[in-house]
Amino acid sequence: MPDQDPTAFRDSVRRFLARHGRRKEEAGPWALGFVTDHEEAGRRFEEERAWQATRFRAGMAGFTYPTRYGGQGGLAWQDEIFQEEARPYGPSSTFIAGTIAMLGPTLMALGTEEQKAGLIARLLSAEDVWCQLFSEPGAGSDLASLACRAVRDGDDFVVSGQKVWNSAAQWADHGFILVRTDPEAPKHRGITMLLIDMRWPGVTVRPLIQASGAADFAEVFLDEVRVPATNVVGEVDAGWSAARIVLANEAAMIGGGGRQTYPPLLRLADLHGRRSDVHLRARLSDLYVRDRLLDLMSGRIMEAVRRREAPPVDPAILELYYAENRRRAGDLAASIAGAAAMLSDDEPSRWVESEIMRRYTVSIGGGTTEVLRNNLAERALGLPREPGDERTRPWSQLRRN
Ligand SMILES: Cc1cc2nc3c(=O)[nH]c(=O)nc-3n(C[C@H](O)[C@H](O)[C@H](O)COP(=O)(O)OP(=O)(O)OC[C@H]3O[C@@H](n4cnc5c(N)ncnc54)[C@H](O)[C@@H]3O)c2cc1C
């Protein structure tokens, strides 16, 4: 069990980070958050895995998970202190921390004892690295219309179909996948979540390149992949409940990290001699306020998320707010640097280009802002659902794109 005294605990985190971490500023102020070379992207992923393993060995991971599953049996504030202190350090375990944040709470809520005992410690230590296999070419925003098929055959399910936009799937050992098990049920009620090994026969992973050049996405093809029925998470045909736990935790993870968008923009304003520009100052102050507000909201919501309890408000709010901050920060970077940034190849200009290009990743990944707004309208405000009989007609009779 980690220290119960917050000051002593913070000190032990600082000692751990000073010994094992690498300060991000060593990579320079204009380091990009992604790489365009597949091999280099793979190396970075393995660095993430090693970092997560180091954390686990030192008792600095899985703070709120029970000790019998490899966690620290600790409290939510310990995780919060760790995140605060670790912010200036790398390598950050973006993908790995992301899937831990999604799958861990889902297994804790719906997993069998065997799944929890067999998988959670390996998840927290990054001995097993997972990827999320949800989106399909015809099912992104309307995820519940997914078509990847699983047919029961004895003790197995046989899975065939395609998934796409799967972050880090080319390096992951395992995947949590949503499949259609009952095409005759309404779309939300015939879905099951399964756990698969990415090296099983019939699984083919093809890396994809994003518009920004980033090389960390993949598409995944499944051709009659045999999955033991013991790998179902929760109940057969009730996978939508599992998906909702994953998606709520994903939204909290994306928006709840206390990330600040304004510091590099201050540096950029300095570089372009625009510190005294009144219009710019107003926009920077606006961003500062929004970063601070997000941090405060995040504190309240993440406290519950860390305890795996229902948060006071839907965590989608955090993702929505952060997506808007990233959009404004990207726009501001473009205004400060001007057209010259598009034509130059120096480090700050490349950083500006990437900010402009990548400002929309948050407003698409983990559910688009439009869809998150729809969900909030229905669930938080009690507004009517979109018209139609999509929720009651059998999936097999629905029109799909
Ligand atoms: C950085 C990143 C990481 C990702 N990682 C993963 C991953 O690991 N695993 C995975 O499975 N997927 C992943 N995705 C995919 C992501 O979940 C989907 O891109 C997203 O859900 C949107 O689906 P789509 O791309 O098919 O867009 P579409 O669903 O085709 O949407 C196109 C546009 O139409 C709008 N739209 C659609 N329906 C409505 C509606 N009802 N009301 C209003 N507007 C609507 C959308 O908002 C969007 O602007 C990732 C995406 C990104 C950007």
Side-chain angles (χ1 to χ4, degrees):
M1 164 114 46
D3 287 311
Q4 291 297 305
D5 167 35
T7 312
F9 179 71
R10 196 178 284 279
D11 285 345
S12 63
V13 171
R14 285 182 179 164
R15 277 197 302 276
F16 167 78
L17 290 168
R19 177 138 187 242
H20 299 285
R22 196 176 59 221
R23 290 194 77 86
K24 280 182 186 153
E25 62 254 32
E26 285 173 23
W30 307 111
L32 304 183
F34 65 93
V35 288
T36 52
D37 177 71
H38 272 290
E39 275 179 28
E40 177 59 16
R43 265 194 298 279
R44 288 206 186 182
F45 186 81
E46 289 309 322
E47 261 184 28
E48 277 189 28
R49 189 198 289 262
W51 173 236
Q52 185 65 30
T54 305
R55 281 183 58 183
F56 183 80
R57 277 195 301 274
M60 290 284 165
F63 293 108
T64 61
Y65 285 82
T67 47
R68 67 183 180 285
Y69 301 138
Q72 297 301 314
L75 300 166
W77 58 259
Q78 290 162 338
D79 189 56
E80 192 180 345
I81 286 178
F82 185 88
Q83 297 306 335
E84 273 171 26
E85 292 294 329
R87 229 165 264 153
Y89 287 87
S92 46
S93 44
T94 322
F95 294 116
I96 293 174
T99 39
I100 292 173
M102 290 186 253
L103 185 60
T106 313
L107 288 176
M108 286 299 291
L110 300 174
T112 59
E113 188 49 40
E114 207 183 351
Q115 287 170 342
K116 286 190 272 199
L119 300 176
I120 290 180
R122 296 172 67 89
L123 171 77
L124 297 175
S125 64
E127 208 167 329
D128 291 338
V129 172
W130 293 77
C131 62
Q132 182 198 37
L133 302 171
F134 281 17
S135 307
E136 297 181 6
S141 298
D142 186 10
L143 180 61
S145 72
L146 60 93
C148 182
R149 188 85 174 89
V151 180
R152 186 76 190 237
D153 183 26
D155 291 338
D156 295 340
F157 284 94
V158 180
V159 179
S160 295
Q162 188 198 340
K163 298 287 171 179
V164 73
W165 310 128
N166 311 112
S167 305
Q170 59 270 55
W171 306 300
D173 310 300
H174 299 269
F176 45 102
I177 183 168
L178 293 180
V179 292
R180 170 100 19 223
T181 33
D182 184 357
E184 299 315 316
K187 62 180 180 180
H188 294 90
R189 289 191 236 139
I191 292 172
T192 301
M193 187 188 288
L194 299 173
L195 304 173
I196 68 164
D197 189 315
M198 298 300 283
R199 295 178 203 101
W200 275 344
V203 180
T204 306
V205 183
R206 282 215 309 238
L208 292 172
I209 300 283
Q210 293 179 52
S212 60
D216 39 39
F217 263 154
E219 57 185 344
V220 176
F221 297 85
L222 301 114
D223 184 15
E224 303 202 343
V225 179
R226 293 196 83 86
V227 184
T230 46
N231 283 22
V232 171
V233 180
E235 301 289 322
V236 173
D237 294 335
W240 193 245
S241 311
R244 284 191 55 176
I245 300 177
V246 170
L247 294 173
N249 281 283
E250 184 177 18
M253 179 266 300
I254 292 172
R259 297 176 189 90
Q260 295 183 331
T261 51
Y262 72 88
L265 295 169
L266 277 178
R267 268 200 302 273
L268 195 66
D270 268 344
L271 195 71
H272 287 265
R274 307 228 2 228
R275 266 207 166 216
S276 307
D277 180 323
V278 279
H279 298 293
L280 206 61
R281 288 160 71 103
R283 286 172 75 186
L284 277 166
S285 303
D286 170 63
L287 211 49
Y288 169 76
V289 171
R290 295 184 63 93
D291 278 352
R292 293 292 299 134
L293 283 175
L294 180 62
D295 207 18
L296 293 171
M297 274 196 294
S298 164
R300 285 200 59 200
I301 295 177
M302 290 306 287
E303 202 183 315
V305 169
R306 288 188 167 106
R307 289 198 302 260
R308 293 182 296 280
E309 291 170 3
V313 285
D314 193 323
I317 290 180
L318 296 180
E319 189 183 335
L320 271 175
Y321 212 80
Y322 180 50
E324 180 59 22
N325 287 5
R326 281 294 300 267
R327 191 189 64 74
R328 289 182 190 217
D331 287 352
L332 195 47
S335 303
I336 296 170
M342 291 289 115
L343 303 173
S344 314
D345 198 30
D346 53 280
E347 272 198 318
S349 301
R350 292 216 331 264
W351 179 84
V352 171
E353 284 165 27
S354 90
E355 280 301 289
I356 295 170
M357 193 86 83
R358 285 167 65 86
R359 80 197 129 146
Y360 293 115
T361 55
V362 179
S363 56
I364 300 173
T368 67
T369 48
E370 291 81 6
V371 167
L372 294 179
R373 286 195 179 101
N374 279 348
N375 292 345
L376 283 175
E378 290 171 12
R379 289 189 220 138
L381 302 177
L383 295 174
R385 291 187 185 285
E386 289 189 30
D389 59 0
E390 288 242 320
R391 294 192 151 251
T392 49
R393 268 167 93 97
W395 173 83
S396 61
Q397 293 175 22
L398 296 179
R399 276 189 305 153
R400 297 187 310 106
N401 60 19

